[in-house]
Amino acid sequence: MTILAAGTDVAAIGETALTVFLLVLVGVGAVPVVAGLAQFLVIPFHAVRNHYRETGPYLPNVAVVIPAWNEAAVLTTSIERLMGLDYPPDRLRVYVVDDASTDDTPAVLAACAARFPGRVVHLRREKGGEGKAHTLNHGLREILADDWMEALLIMDADVIYEPASLRKMTRHLADPTVGAVTAYIREGSGDPEGITRFIGFDYLAAQAASRRAQNVAGAMACLAGGAQLHSRENLVAIGGQIDTSSLAEDTVTTFRTQLAGRRVVFEPHARVLAEEPAGVDALWKQRLRWARGNVQITSMYRHLWFRRSVHPGLGGFFFGVFWFAILLLPVAMLLTSIGLTGLYLLDSELASEVFGAAVFVPIATFVFMITLTMSVDPRTGFTVWREALLFPGAISFVVLLSAAFPGVVPLSGTAETVWTLFVYSWLVLCIPLAYGVRKLEGTRWGRPLTPLALYLVGFGPLMCAITVDAYVKEFRGAAMTWDKTEKTGRVTA
Amino acid sequence: MSTVHRLVGAGQPFRVSPPVVLTEELLARCGGLPPVWADPVALADETEADRVRERRLWVGLAAAVAVVVLLYLARTAVLGA
């Protein structure tokens, strides 16, 4: 009898311990939601905590460097736009570093150099294909060898700058504590549809909104690859070269600038349009490069995280949580799903209570984030509001709606059990399904079905699936290949 | 901020660029109107306009809070019914 009672006690303690453990999993899974909310709550403070009062009418000699590999389709437009910038013409030179292109790039550049004598310079690498950083370094060596350049703008061949954007960036360099400035890059397709609309919203959230928060926090995660302006002093201080050891050379440059004691500023009113991938596979390759780069940087700067003694901004708590919340989002989703499913199997009423009590927080956070994001650039926001709502996917949207308004569709018995388990496990199921969307694109029916599948599964889960792929590829030590995004000249201003 | 983290350039004078010389040819290329970059006061006005424009973020915050409150009220009403 005593042994039986002791056994019952042990079982009860074990069940309690397991319940607590599962609740902790659900709690850990909520960290990215809280981190996202904290970041977006900071954004409005950019109204008072910005760099405008420390700017000046500074118009330095700017060398624009454009790495180009087979960019004949877009170069003429980009160069014409640069030549038309509202900036003193004698203070602007364009250096195109041709990475041994095999298309008409040399001929296009020769024509541009003839049209704008002394203002367009063609630098050619005879051996190409080593990646963007190597191409940029070729140009940097040439440009730094001449004293003329006072500021250097690194951009991509396909991006188009709005006329006032460059001088809106250079004004921040009047402050000698600023080492680099980045602009607001927008998805620039003239007729955005499907995936480019999702990218439009993604850029709105990740650049126009999130980078304002980083301005306020005093630590910038990444200078946009297509729009980064450096002072000459900063370039020299970080070694005069771009990092070639990782896939995220822009982020390394950003970190080096700040670790060298200079500020990095985001200028939201300097607007730049860029062409983005129009297919899931092309997007996957581009974002996989970025995600793998972030995984590499997490390891490269492991001495930095949560250590204000190393750097007050980058080593701060806010920046650390923000960085890892994105990097570990798939892990958080997995933990939440395991926690909720485990609780349901252990004690379905408790699981229901936990889910019911906590679910309004992510829903409110999601609604708050998309409303605030759309408000920072209403023109773009009104174009992509559907993609904002369907960012987690139409299935997730229905799951969220049903969670926000439980009982609206009455379910009971087996149907209720199946639906509840589906809701709890969807957080993880959506990730392999996002991988399936990529695979679907390559099939016979891919063209008509992929956009539909993307709207159902969602852009957010697609990004999570890419992050998981980045973990796997880094763990396996897969080769670092530079998969260039094909540019067709779809950008219209 | 400690001495280790003192920003490089702090205490140094602001960077200035030489005044822009607006030639007849340049003026003609700009359609006869002096461009913004040729006038430091116009540049300062442009910056001030951008600074003031950032105050719209408070409107965005108010809108976002209002939407969340409306959602909460709708949820309460539906669940209470």
Side-chain angles (χ1 to χ4, degrees):
Chain A
M1 195 69 179
T2 315
I3 294 170
L4 196 66
T8 311
D9 285 349
V10 170
I13 292 169
E15 191 177 322
T16 309
L18 187 59
T19 305
V20 171
F21 174 70
L22 293 171
L23 285 170
V24 168
L25 290 189
V26 176
V28 171
V31 170
V33 176
V34 178
L37 179 62
Q39 190 187 174
F40 274 72
L41 282 170
V42 166
I43 291 167
F45 290 95
H46 197 257
V48 286
R49 195 177 156 88
N50 53 54
H51 190 253
Y52 290 116
R53 288 194 188 280
E54 293 148 87
T55 59
Y58 181 55
L59 301 164
N61 292 336
V62 177
V64 183
V65 61
I66 308 176
W69 180 70
N70 291 349
E71 304 278 14
V74 294
L75 268 174
T76 305
T77 309
S78 294
I79 291 172
E80 280 174 353
R81 287 278 175 173
L82 284 170
M83 292 296 109
L85 280 179
D86 213 355
Y87 197 83
D90 58 330
R91 297 184 189 182
L92 185 69
R93 287 181 192 168
V94 177
Y95 295 80
V96 182
V97 188
D98 171 8
D99 193 30
S101 296
T102 52
D103 68 347
D104 290 338
T105 297
V108 167
L109 286 173
C112 288
R115 275 178 68 192
F116 306 104
R119 297 184 65 203
V120 176
V121 181
H122 179 196
L123 302 171
R124 178 152 173 105
R125 297 183 78 208
E126 291 309 322
K127 178 176 173 280
E130 291 179 296
K132 183 181 171 185
H134 287 277
T135 312
L136 282 172
N137 284 338
H138 181 90
L140 282 178
R141 279 190 291 275
E142 297 277 342
I143 294 164
L144 281 168
D146 187 349
D147 287 340
W148 181 84
M149 182 271 286
E150 293 170 313
L152 181 105
L153 179 70
I154 297 174
M155 63 174 271
D156 292 333
D158 61 300
V159 301
I160 288 179
Y161 281 66
E162 285 188 0
S165 51
L166 181 57
R167 65 165 187 264
K168 290 191 175 193
M169 293 171 81
T170 60
R171 62 189 175 188
H172 293 281
L173 291 184
D175 176 0
T177 67
V178 174
V181 184
T182 192
Y184 165 30
I185 295 197
R186 283 162 53 179
E187 199 287 316
S189 304
D191 53 344
E193 56 180 24
I195 199 164
T196 46
R197 281 178 178 266
F198 276 117
I199 296 171
F201 175 72
D202 185 40
Y203 274 20
L204 193 56
Q207 305 219 17
S210 180
R211 283 191 171 135
R212 277 183 168 96
Q214 293 168 45
N215 262 356
V216 174
M220 190 63 60
C222 185
L223 287 155
Q228 45 181 298
L229 181 76
H230 295 268
S231 69
R232 186 184 185 96
E233 293 87 340
N234 184 53
L235 274 177
V236 172
I238 62 172
Q241 294 282 284
I242 302 296
D243 174 67
T244 55
S245 67
S246 80
L247 285 167
E249 80 291 339
D250 306 331
T251 312
V252 175
T253 306
T254 314
F255 275 45
R256 281 184 179 169
T257 297
Q258 292 168 98
L259 290 169
R262 288 183 174 82
R263 298 165 73 177
V264 175
V265 174
F266 167 63
E267 169 50 73
H269 300 289
R271 295 179 176 193
V272 179
L273 302 171
E275 181 177 339
E276 296 302 326
V280 173
D281 191 58
L283 178 77
W284 190 287
K285 287 174 181 168
Q286 182 202 49
R287 296 299 174 99
L288 179 65
R289 181 159 45 82
W290 296 1
R292 282 191 70 184
N294 286 344
V295 175
Q296 290 165 357
I297 281 167
T298 307
S299 168
M300 195 187 288
Y301 289 99
R302 57 188 171 276
H303 65 288
L304 172 69
W305 309 112
F306 301 105
R307 291 176 67 184
R308 285 181 61 85
S309 57
V310 180
H311 189 275
L314 296 176
F317 179 78
F318 181 87
F319 189 81
V321 169
F322 156 74
W323 181 272
F324 284 99
I326 293 173
L327 192 77
L328 299 177
L329 185 59
V331 178
M333 289 165 74
L334 177 68
L335 294 181
T336 308
S337 190
I338 291 172
L340 284 171
T341 310
L343 276 179
Y344 184 79
L345 296 175
L346 205 64
D347 182 346
S348 60
E349 277 190 24
L350 177 65
S352 177
E353 280 172 22
V354 170
F355 187 68
V359 75
F360 192 69
V361 177
I363 293 171
T365 303
F366 173 63
V367 169
F368 180 82
M369 284 163 74
I370 61 170
T371 311
L372 191 62
T373 296
M374 289 198 295
S375 76
V376 299
D377 181 0
R379 208 176 117 202
T380 307
F382 287 129
T383 313
V384 297
W385 68 271
R386 292 178 202 83
E387 285 68 26
L389 279 175
L390 296 177
F391 198 78
I395 296 172
S396 295
F397 187 75
V398 172
V399 165
L400 284 171
L401 267 184
S402 70
F405 301 99
V408 172
V409 181
L411 290 171
S412 60
T414 311
E416 187 185 10
T417 306
V418 170
W419 172 249
T420 307
L421 283 173
F422 171 75
V423 168
Y424 292 169
S425 55
W426 175 247
L427 280 170
V428 175
L429 287 178
C430 65
I431 296 178
L433 280 175
Y435 186 75
V437 173
R438 183 198 183 192
K439 289 292 166 196
L440 177 67
E441 194 183 52
T443 65
R444 188 179 164 194
W445 300 102
R447 197 177 170 83
L449 291 181
T450 303
L452 178 67
L454 182 65
Y455 275 94
L456 280 174
V457 175
F459 193 85
L462 190 73
M463 294 299 106
C464 283
I466 292 170
T467 306
V468 172
D469 197 13
Y471 297 158
V472 174
K473 289 222 164 36
E474 276 304 295
F475 181 74
R476 287 170 47 202
M480 292 197 294
T481 52
W482 186 274
D483 293 307
K484 180 180 170 293
T485 308
E486 191 188 341
K487 305 295 167 68
T488 57
R490 280 184 287 115
V491 175
T492 51
Chain B
M1 196 176 279
S2 71
T3 39
V4 177
H5 297 124
R6 185 166 293 149
L7 286 169
V8 174
Q12 288 177 17
F14 266 40
R15 294 191 185 106
V16 288
S17 45
V20 178
V21 180
L22 199 59
T23 60
E24 290 291 326
E25 183 205 343
L26 213 49
L27 192 61
R29 213 193 295 173
C30 298
L33 291 169
V36 173
W37 45 261
D39 180 4
V41 176
L43 286 171
D45 287 347
E46 185 178 65
T47 301
E48 182 60 11
D50 285 342
R51 191 182 71 80
V52 170
R53 203 168 290 137
E54 285 299 287
R55 290 181 190 160
R56 291 179 189 175
L57 291 171
W58 296 123
V59 179
L61 175 66
V65 170
V67 171
V68 170
V69 169
L70 283 174
L71 182 68
Y72 179 78
L73 292 175
R75 184 175 187 248
T76 309
V78 170
L79 294 184

